[in-house]
């Protein structure tokens, strides 16, 4: 295909992805999926013939369009392009790629910039919630320069605060605990099945004979561990009302342990079969919510912060989550601070359809 497609290549939070206007892509999911696989270079473990980075964190897509809702400025559909499978999934949202949606919407003219800071209300199509991002726009132009730092990203950038409401049961019927329990036992392991923006399964790392401080590489190399975790995931998916999740990227599987760097809790998150280099925004919110439950693996291991800011530790640092609770302790809203940066603005050229290759 010789015709290029306008594309913004951006870092959003601790991920990278391609941001497109829906009007620049073909109609229909089958056609979109096909062209995204060709753009990213999937399926191929190296994604050598595309722009993907050979990692789930760098093989992501945001599709933007004018919002279909009166309470939002822009619709944002997140798509996870699998690296070594011919699969594109909309089964979840992505809070890291979300961080780039506000700037991208302004860059592409979907939202008019204000003089200093521009709030952008974003309808997250995957889950139905609305988030508000505050984007620095001095002089009416998006600025990516600033002093905000997030773990997992070198240097500093302009802060992009994100606030969420209505997160409970984003994909599991509108309730935070789809089974109604703080703890469910699956295959002899105590699990919290929770959805506060992202369906996850929280488990104590010690129940797998781990400290919880193992490296990402060590966990990825442990085939027996991953098989046990995935067996639990398949059962938990049905218990959470997600059906057969064998080909889905949710629920995420999260091992927790006591924090070691002053945070609320430490995590190792699987997305779902590879250990995350950090932790997703919504997964971090769900972990923070699990920490305040009376029972469960997270409550057992958590140190609750006095200032309400939960530092969710991960392999390369920590993600900060703020929870707002009502008088009865129910979580009413959550917030986090992310950054984003425009890396490239131009035309991307899809390659031909391909079969998997062996490096």
């Amino acid at each position: 295909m010789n015709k290029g497609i306008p594309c913004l290549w951006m870092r959003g939070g601790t991920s990278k992805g391609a941001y497109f206007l829906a009007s620049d892509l073909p109609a229909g999911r089958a056609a979109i999926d096909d062209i995204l696989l060709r753009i990213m270079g999937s399926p191929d473990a190296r994604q050598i013939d595309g722009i993907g980075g050979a990692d789930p964190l760098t093989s992501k897509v945001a599709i933007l369009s004018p919002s279909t809702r009166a309470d939002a400025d822009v619709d944002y559909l997140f798509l996870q392009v699998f690296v070594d499978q011919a699969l594109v999934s909309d089964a979840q949202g992505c809070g890291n790629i979300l961080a780039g949606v506000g700037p991208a919407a302004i860059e592409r003219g979907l939202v008019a910039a204000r003089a200093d800071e521009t709030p952008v209300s974003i309808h997250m199509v995957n889950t139905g919630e609305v988030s508000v991002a505050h984007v620095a726009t001095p002089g009416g132009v998006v600025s990516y320069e600033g002093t905000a730092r997030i773990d997992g990203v070198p240097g500093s950038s302009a802060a992009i605060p994100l606030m969420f409401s209505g997160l409970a049961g984003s994909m599991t019927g509108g309730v935070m605990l789809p089974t109604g329990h703080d703890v469910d036992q699956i295959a002899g392991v105590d699990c919290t099945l929770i959805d506060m923006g992202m369906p996850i399964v929280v488990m104590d790392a010690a129940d797998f004979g781990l400290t919880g401080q193992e490296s990402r590489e060590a966990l990825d190399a442990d085939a027996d561990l991953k098989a046990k975790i995935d067996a639990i995931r398949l059962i938990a998916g049905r218990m959470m009302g997600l059906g057969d999740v064998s080909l889905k990227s949710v629920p995420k599987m999260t091992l927790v342990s006591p924090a070691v760097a002053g945070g609320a809790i430490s995590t190792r998150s699987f997305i779902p079969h590879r250990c995350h280099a950090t932790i997703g925004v919504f997964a971090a919110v769900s972990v923070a919510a699990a920490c305040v439950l009376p029972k469960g693996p997270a409550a057992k291991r958590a140190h609750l912060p006095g200032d309400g800011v939960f530092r969710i530790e991960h392999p390369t640092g920590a993600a900060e989550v703020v929870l707002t609770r009502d008088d009865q302790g129910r979580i009413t809203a959550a917030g986090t601070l992310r950054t984003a940066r425009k890396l490239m603005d131009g035309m991307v050229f899809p390659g031909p359809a391909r079969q998997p290759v062996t490096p």
Side-chain angles (χ1 to χ4, degrees):
M1 183 174 183
N2 294 322
K3 184 178 179 182
I5 299 171
C7 173
L8 271 171
W9 185 244
M10 298 185 71
R11 175 185 62 78
T14 54
S15 295
K16 285 194 293 188
Y19 292 68
F20 298 99
L21 292 180
S23 56
D24 290 327
L25 293 173
R29 269 299 300 275
I32 290 172
D33 289 0
D34 174 69
I35 207 164
L36 293 181
L37 289 166
R38 292 154 57 194
I39 286 171
M40 287 296 179
S42 298
D44 173 22
R46 297 177 298 161
Q47 291 183 319
I48 196 66
D49 200 37
I51 66 173
D55 189 289
L57 300 183
T58 57
S59 187
K60 298 184 175 187
V61 169
I63 299 178
L64 312 183
S65 58
S67 184
T68 55
R69 294 172 49 152
D71 59 348
D73 300 312
V74 60
D75 281 359
Y76 152 53
L77 174 66
F78 169 72
L79 295 174
Q80 178 72 61
V81 181
F82 281 55
V83 174
D84 52 4
Q85 299 181 57
L87 181 62
V88 179
S89 174
D90 64 0
Q92 65 179 74
C94 179
N96 278 304
I97 293 297
L98 172 66
V101 170
I106 297 169
E107 295 265 15
R108 285 295 188 251
L110 295 177
V111 175
R114 299 185 183 180
D116 187 33
E117 181 182 272
T118 304
V120 181
S121 297
I122 303 163
H123 169 213
M124 296 177 284
V125 175
N126 301 74
T127 56
E129 297 99 355
V130 172
S131 172
V132 178
H134 294 270
V135 182
T137 50
V141 177
V142 176
S143 174
Y144 298 96
E145 297 181 359
T147 59
R149 297 176 180 271
I150 60 174
D151 287 336
V153 178
S156 63
S157 303
I160 302 179
L162 299 169
M163 292 302 299
F164 313 98
S165 59
L167 292 178
S170 65
M171 298 176 64
T172 56
V175 292
M176 183 175 77
L177 298 171
T179 68
H181 307 136
D182 287 8
V183 184
D184 290 284
Q185 193 168 89
I186 304 176
V189 176
D190 285 346
C191 304
T192 294
L193 281 53
I194 186 169
D195 179 3
M196 274 297 290
M198 175 67 68
I200 69 170
V201 179
V202 180
M203 303 166 292
D204 191 336
D207 287 342
F208 295 86
L210 303 171
T211 66
Q213 299 307 310
E214 288 79 6
S215 70
R216 180 190 190 197
E217 292 76 16
L219 294 173
D220 275 343
D222 192 333
D224 290 341
L225 169 69
K226 292 169 69 174
K228 184 173 183 180
I229 288 176
D230 199 52
I232 293 173
R233 191 178 81 90
L234 296 177
I235 297 170
R238 294 192 182 278
M239 293 174 66
M240 298 177 83
L242 298 170
D244 180 3
V245 298
S246 57
L247 296 178
K248 296 180 181 179
S249 55
V250 290
K252 307 297 188 189
M253 308 300 286
T254 303
L255 303 178
V256 296
S257 59
V260 296
I265 200 165
S266 183
T267 63
R268 294 294 185 267
S269 182
F270 291 81
I271 53 173
H273 302 119
R274 294 178 68 178
C275 186
H276 205 312
T278 58
I279 188 171
V281 171
F282 295 122
V285 171
S286 291
V287 169
C291 288
V292 301
L293 296 174
K295 303 174 184 177
K300 182 172 64 175
R301 296 300 188 184
H303 173 74
L304 299 184
D307 61 359
V309 179
F310 291 74
R311 296 187 73 255
I312 309 300
E313 296 179 5
H314 54 69
T316 54
E320 292 188 350
V321 174
V322 178
L323 298 181
T324 300
R325 293 191 280 172
D326 61 20
D327 293 341
Q328 296 178 323
R330 293 173 298 195
I331 299 168
T332 57
T336 188
L337 185 145
R338 297 278 86 185
T339 66
R341 192 168 77 83
K342 179 171 65 173
L343 304 175
M344 184 279 297
D345 185 356
M347 307 292 283
V348 66
F349 294 85
R354 63 183 60 77
Q355 296 297 318
V357 299
T358 301

